[in-house]
Amino acid sequence: MNTSDNDYYVIKKTNEVVEACYYVKHTSNDPLWRDHSSLNTSLPFLLTQLFVVLFLDRLLLLVLRPIRQPPIVAHIICGVVLGPTLFSETDFSNKFIFPHKTTMVLETFANLALTYYMFLIGLEMDFSLILQSGAQVISVTAAGIMFPLLLGFGLYFMAIQDSEDFDRRGSLFWAIALTSTNFPDLTRILADLKLLRTSIGRIAMSSAILSDLFSWLLLIIAIAIFNGQKYKTILSTVVFVMICFFAFRPAIAWLINRTSKGEVISDTHVWFIMAGILLCGLATDACGSNSIVGAFMFGVILPKDETVRNKVVEKLNYFVTGILMPLFFLINGLRSDMPYMFSKTSWIMVFLVVVLSWAAKVVSVSLVALHYKMSSTDSMILGLLMNTKGVLALIILNTGRNIRALNNQTFPLMILALLVMSCLIEPIIAFVNKPSRKILRNLNRSIKGSEPEEELRILACVHSMRNVMGTLSLLKLSNGTRESPLAIFGTHLMELSKRASTTMLIVHNEGNQDEGGRYNRAKTETTNIIQAFENFEKANDEEGAVMVYTMSVISPYATMHVDICSLAEDKCVNLILLPFHKEVKADGHMGAANSNYANVNNNVLMSTPCSVAILVDRGISTKVFESQDKSFGYHTRQIAMLFVGGPDDREALAYACRMASHPNVSLTVARFFPGEQTPDPNIQSNASVNREKLTDDEHIEDLKLKATVVDSGIHYTEMTVNNGEETIAGIRTLGDNVFDLYIVGRRQGETKSPITEGLSDWGTCPELGALGDTLVSSNFALNASVLVVQHYISTDVVHEIPETFPACTLGIGAKQGVQRYDF
């Protein structure tokens, strides 16, 4: 019997459980004005435990993130450190932090956290991916399930059979835990390693969903088998699932559709949804299954409308994943007595269990990948990815622990194996993922690099409806024809900051474009944006001249540029079109800025795989679409291209010349010469300057030839200036508020020139370059939009790309020719 100042308790510890009996002792010397000691109540302990676990968990996340460890590693280590392995067995912990009498309260809150967490996972599951799974995905999934399942049984009997408390039921939970692949952690790893858009990433994510579903099915069967009422449990759970899909799902969609006002989902809806989570959890618990099954199913059947989903996630995500879930990992740690496990299991056996558990899925998946002609490196990477473990594996093991199929020896042994697996995956992939070199010349990464009659491919990005009309107006001026068609990839960029999983790319087509419209009478912003792009394609005069493909990228702003650049690489685009990060007020001046948009633009400019253009829209949409009914041959749109020299200006000139072929466009090209040739020898050699000048002259001569054609709509002029001030004066001589659009090169990092001398001293937006920034802030161009172009420049003639780089589809035929990505 142990004693303290406030209570007495008896501890009985066995291989299976720890039993604690408490006898509270009341004294007259309780602290402050309470009539009893705070150590006799559960709430102060819970608050203390929550503070300790949150502090250590956040600290471990900060420490382990730089060495490429996924969050699950920090969570597991946090629980193990606070458990009997290190901390909870100390006298201080037993008295003030983790006394045994508080375990029941901790487990209650941990199970509540798990219930809501599984709802969030179900909410983000897209089961349509299962229908799109090919033979390779199904084969990878089958191999990643069958071999680990069999090996899990064998390992358990090999490691534990000689134990005095051997329970053969535990082998089933070991086997199921080894079959799982945690989808949320997998997508985070793919995003960190920039594999999300690769074929490996797509196969891994599809296989992970199938694998998790099968693991869930096995877990439900295992719970039913050991429940004593196995047939009733399985039957009632299946009936509940059928009712969810065929009764609850349409009913919930109907209720939300009838009660929501437009796109507004009220707090009342959220509270009813939160109550529904608990009700479904209670239903499956009554069926003999686990309450998390019902919560997961409720998340699956909830309408996939973005408005509903975002509202619910906004209310739940931070509290559940940030506050409550660490308690679940703490319970895992308190149940993991590593010293006790090592005292019952030899070091050699522990080593064998860890190694074989890790190798089971890696080897089986790699062999299947090799069968499908994947390289040895890619096969190994896929095997490692499919071995990603997470919350689902912990749920499986805890379920076995709850029914005492796993004990104080077998539970921590598999926890250790899962921890080692999770630690090794990302560092190994980062080490072996060295893209093989492949010579690939003449990639269409710019406008001027493509042939005149080739398809021009533009990735048009927008953040909101405010960006759409200006973007579409510029695309209309890009003049898609049958001879030189446009392939436009309209992309809605959305922030991923309040969700449980990572980046998603949603491709919208005839089958899923109005997913939200079925549940809301008013269309969401995404639906409106998609509809605007599709209407633009339908309104084109020539059939086949413009092809539009719409998609949504949901990503954190910090890594959104990675997804944009990966998408541009996948689609083999010539140009990425981005909106400016500042809003333009009614008077034409710049308004409030969005720093997140600015960071995205800057990051894209630094890591782009092709040319980039930033559009500052000052009402070009109104001017362009007002003139649609004008007769051909009447130049209603005035565009000015300011040419100083260099790759960026030549790319801008190529884009301007394409616009000049539009029958309603008049193009004025003004070339500026410096009055004094004083290049800085520290920046470039004279030979390099001469080469650049010769290249500039060649492009200008081509322009002059085009200008000689009757009714070409091209006007060319030259000016000699000595500094930036004279340059601005020269631009003004072209006309104040005459032009609808100015096109300039960014010229960032190019040779300094007297032409732009002094212009950058007062600049506030370096991503626009000296001339672009000046035009945006000037008064004489208040009514003109500005397009700033940066040309793609490779530092190496031979580009390094992975062997799995997809072949570009450059034809203008059916949409099926464009690669589809459904994540």
Side-chain angles (χ1 to χ4, degrees):
M1 176 179 289
N2 299 309
T3 63
S4 67
D5 294 338
N6 300 295
D7 52 20
Y8 301 83
Y9 56 92
V10 177
I11 302 295
K12 180 182 177 182
K13 186 174 183 180
T14 68
N15 188 39
E16 293 185 348
V17 296
V18 175
E19 296 179 354
C21 299
Y22 277 78
Y23 306 89
V24 177
K25 175 184 177 181
H26 292 279
T27 69
S28 58
N29 299 320
D30 292 326
L32 298 179
W33 298 277
R34 298 176 64 96
D35 60 357
H36 61 277
S37 173
S38 61
L39 295 179
N40 289 334
T41 58
S42 298
L43 182 60
F45 278 115
L46 179 63
L47 297 179
T48 304
Q49 292 161 354
L50 192 57
F51 167 77
V52 171
V53 69
L54 289 179
F55 176 80
L56 182 59
D57 187 60
R58 294 296 110 181
L59 183 62
L60 288 171
L61 284 171
L62 291 174
V63 172
L64 297 177
R65 183 65 260 171
I67 57 175
R68 292 187 176 274
Q69 294 302 313
I72 191 67
V73 173
H75 300 327
I76 295 176
I77 292 178
C78 175
V80 171
V81 168
L82 293 178
T85 303
L86 288 177
F87 183 68
S88 68
E89 287 297 298
T90 62
D91 293 337
F92 177 81
S93 174
N94 282 328
K95 182 177 180 180
F96 296 107
I97 308 296
F98 298 113
H100 292 286
K101 66 179 180 180
T102 64
T103 302
M104 186 62 68
V105 177
L106 265 179
E107 290 187 351
T108 302
F109 275 92
N111 288 326
L112 177 65
L114 202 57
T115 301
Y116 278 105
Y117 179 81
M118 293 312 300
F119 163 76
L120 293 174
I121 296 299
L123 189 64
E124 297 189 357
M125 279 286 186
D126 184 5
F127 290 97
S128 64
L129 299 176
I130 298 177
L131 302 177
Q132 302 169 6
S133 299
Q136 185 175 4
V137 171
I138 295 175
S139 300
V140 167
T141 304
I145 291 174
M146 298 306 298
F147 190 69
L149 190 68
L150 296 175
L151 185 64
F153 281 109
L155 279 178
Y156 184 86
F157 284 94
M158 180 183 70
I160 312 298
Q161 192 168 16
D162 296 334
S163 174
E164 57 186 8
D165 295 305
F166 174 75
D167 189 334
R168 66 178 60 250
R169 297 180 303 168
S171 61
L172 183 58
F173 292 96
W174 269 31
I176 299 174
L178 291 181
T179 65
S180 66
T181 300
N182 198 54
F183 181 78
D185 287 322
L186 172 66
T187 53
R188 288 190 185 96
I189 292 174
L190 290 172
D192 290 342
L193 298 174
K194 299 182 180 181
L195 295 174
L196 202 62
R197 302 286 175 251
T198 64
S199 60
I200 296 177
R202 293 189 292 274
I203 294 172
M205 286 190 286
S206 299
S207 300
I209 292 179
L210 285 171
S211 179
D212 280 0
L213 286 178
F214 193 81
S215 298
W216 272 111
L217 179 62
L218 289 177
L219 178 60
I220 293 173
I221 294 174
I223 294 173
I225 290 174
F226 301 133
N227 187 35
Q229 300 287 338
K230 53 185 176 182
Y231 298 113
K232 293 180 179 178
T233 299
I234 293 177
L235 180 61
S236 58
T237 303
V238 171
V239 170
F240 174 79
V241 171
M242 294 297 102
I243 293 174
C244 284
F245 272 104
F246 298 109
F248 290 167
R249 187 180 187 186
I252 293 172
W254 180 82
L255 284 173
I256 292 177
N257 187 40
R258 287 293 300 270
T259 57
S260 62
K261 298 179 180 179
E263 298 180 11
V264 178
I265 301 298
S266 67
D267 289 341
T268 304
H269 291 91
V270 178
W271 306 139
F272 274 110
I273 289 172
M274 294 176 69
I277 300 170
L278 301 178
L279 182 62
C280 289
L282 181 62
T284 50
D285 191 83
C287 291
S289 184
N290 199 303
S291 59
I292 60 178
V293 177
F296 177 79
M297 285 305 306
F298 190 70
V300 169
I301 67 173
L302 202 68
K304 300 305 184 207
D305 178 77
E306 284 297 322
T307 307
V308 176
R309 185 184 302 192
N310 290 341
K311 186 74 172 181
V312 174
V313 172
E314 179 183 358
K315 297 292 184 182
L316 280 179
N317 190 60
Y318 285 146
F319 184 71
V320 172
T321 60
I323 303 296
L324 291 182
M325 277 305 290
L327 295 178
F328 170 72
F329 297 111
L330 174 61
I331 289 299
N332 281 275
L334 293 177
R335 291 177 166 185
S336 303
D337 191 343
M338 295 295 176
Y340 184 87
M341 183 269 293
F342 280 110
S343 68
K344 296 290 185 178
T345 313
S346 67
W347 284 89
I348 296 178
M349 189 58 64
V350 171
F351 177 78
L352 285 176
V353 169
V354 171
V355 172
L356 293 177
S357 298
W358 178 82
K361 184 167 283 196
V362 176
V363 174
S364 58
V365 171
S366 298
L367 291 176
V368 171
L370 288 172
H371 172 73
Y372 280 93
K373 308 302 181 182
M374 294 181 66
S375 67
S376 57
T377 300
D378 290 346
S379 300
M380 181 180 178
I381 291 174
L382 182 60
L384 289 167
L385 289 171
M386 291 302 297
N387 210 26
T388 303
K389 305 299 179 185
V391 175
L392 178 56
L394 296 179
I395 292 172
I396 295 168
L397 295 179
N398 274 277
T399 303
R401 187 71 178 87
N402 290 338
I403 65 174
R404 298 187 181 182
L406 298 176
N407 55 37
N408 286 335
Q409 179 186 5
T410 55
F411 180 82
L413 179 53
M414 187 49 63
I415 291 290
L416 178 63
L418 295 180
L419 177 61
V420 174
M421 291 183 206
S422 302
C423 288
L424 295 177
I425 292 173
E426 193 167 339
I428 293 178
I429 295 177
F431 177 77
V432 302
N433 186 29
K434 306 295 184 183
S436 56
R437 297 196 172 200
K438 181 180 179 180
I439 298 178
L440 187 63
R441 301 179 185 273
N442 301 322
L443 288 177
N444 294 322
R445 297 173 181 263
S446 63
I447 298 174
K448 68 181 181 64
S450 59
E451 296 297 327
E453 295 184 357
E454 275 187 358
E455 181 183 55
L456 180 63
R457 301 166 73 88
I458 300 177
L459 179 64
C461 302
V462 297
H463 292 283
S464 65
M465 279 300 297
R466 288 191 299 269
N467 311 136
V468 172
M469 296 311 294
T471 299
L472 292 179
S473 301
L474 188 68
L475 295 173
K476 182 174 180 62
L477 293 176
S478 300
N479 195 32
T481 63
R482 287 187 179 181
E483 294 74 23
S484 182
L486 281 178
I488 299 168
F489 300 91
T491 306
H492 183 199
L493 305 177
M494 291 181 284
E495 181 188 12
L496 175 74
S497 59
K498 302 171 183 177
R499 309 181 71 92
S501 62
T502 189
T503 310
M504 290 184 291
L505 171 61
I506 303 171
V507 177
H508 305 277
N509 54 32
E510 291 79 1
N512 62 6
Q513 64 184 358
D514 201 22
E515 185 74 15
R518 290 181 292 176
Y519 304 112
N520 264 331
R521 291 178 178 178
K523 293 182 179 180
T524 63
E525 184 174 43
T526 300
T527 306
N528 290 331
I529 291 172
I530 293 164
Q531 193 64 51
F533 274 98
E534 292 181 347
N535 289 340
F536 174 74
E537 178 185 19
K538 294 174 183 177
N540 190 67
D541 296 329
E542 294 184 71
E543 183 179 354
V546 176
M547 300 292 289
V548 175
Y549 314 91
T550 54
M551 58 199 71
S552 300
V553 170
I554 308 172
S555 175
Y557 284 129
T559 59
M560 188 174 285
H561 67 284
V562 176
D563 300 296
I564 294 173
C565 294
S566 298
L567 190 56
E569 193 89 39
D570 288 342
K571 303 301 183 183
C572 303
V573 301
N574 307 91
L575 180 72
I576 299 175
L577 181 59
L578 300 170
F580 190 47
H581 69 276
K582 289 186 179 181
E583 294 184 11
V584 181
K585 298 187 294 184
D587 60 1
H589 289 92
M590 291 294 106
N594 188 316
S595 59
N596 291 318
Y597 297 171
N599 291 335
V600 171
N601 290 351
N602 283 320
N603 290 333
V604 170
L605 289 169
M606 289 188 293
S607 54
T608 177
C610 61
S611 294
V612 182
I614 297 178
L615 174 64
V616 183
D617 179 21
R618 282 174 163 163
I620 189 175
S621 55
T622 304
K623 299 173 182 178
V624 169
F625 284 94
E626 276 181 352
S627 64
Q628 289 188 62
D629 298 329
K630 301 286 184 180
S631 60
F632 281 11
Y634 182 74
H635 299 149
T636 58
R637 298 281 64 84
Q638 300 290 330
I639 298 178
M641 193 277 139
L642 309 180
F643 189 92
V644 177
D648 290 352
D649 280 21
R650 294 194 292 270
E651 183 73 352
L653 180 63
Y655 198 13
C657 288
R658 183 181 179 94
M659 292 183 183
S661 60
H662 193 287
N664 290 355
V665 168
S666 175
L667 172 65
T668 299
V669 178
R671 185 182 187 184
F672 295 89
F673 290 98
E676 298 179 3
Q677 296 289 345
T678 56
D680 187 347
N682 295 324
I683 299 177
Q684 285 186 326
S685 66
N686 288 331
S688 177
V689 172
N690 290 333
R691 264 197 316 271
E692 285 291 310
K693 186 176 182 303
L694 288 174
T695 307
D696 292 339
D697 291 341
E698 291 175 2
H699 283 75
I700 291 296
E701 290 301 321
D702 291 340
L703 174 74
K704 290 179 180 179
L705 288 176
K706 295 177 182 178
T708 59
V709 178
V710 177
D711 201 24
S712 65
I714 299 177
H715 308 280
Y716 175 74
T717 183
E718 296 180 349
M719 300 183 189
T720 301
V721 295
N722 294 302
N723 51 49
E725 186 176 348
E726 292 185 10
T727 301
I728 297 303
I731 297 174
R732 298 196 65 167
T733 61
L734 299 176
D736 284 3
N737 292 320
V738 170
F739 297 102
D740 304 305
L741 176 68
Y742 285 94
I743 303 178
V744 297
R746 183 171 179 242
R747 305 188 75 252
Q748 192 74 12
E750 294 180 9
T751 307
K752 292 182 179 179
S753 172
I755 299 172
T756 57
E757 183 182 354
L759 295 182
S760 59
D761 295 343
W762 304 98
T764 59
C765 303
E767 69 269 26
L768 298 181
L771 268 181
D773 196 4
T774 302
L775 289 171
V776 168
S777 59
S778 64
N779 290 324
F780 66 86
L782 280 179
N783 296 326
S785 300
V786 179
L787 183 70
V788 179
V789 180
Q790 173 182 286
H791 177 249
Y792 169 74
I793 303 177
S794 175
T795 56
D796 193 346
V797 177
V798 179
H799 305 288
E800 292 185 19
I801 63 170
E803 291 286 352
T804 56
F805 185 78
C808 299
T809 304
L810 297 177
I812 62 170
K815 289 188 178 183
Q816 289 83 350
V818 176
Q819 293 194 359
R820 294 260 336 263
Y821 302 93
D822 300 296
F823 303 98

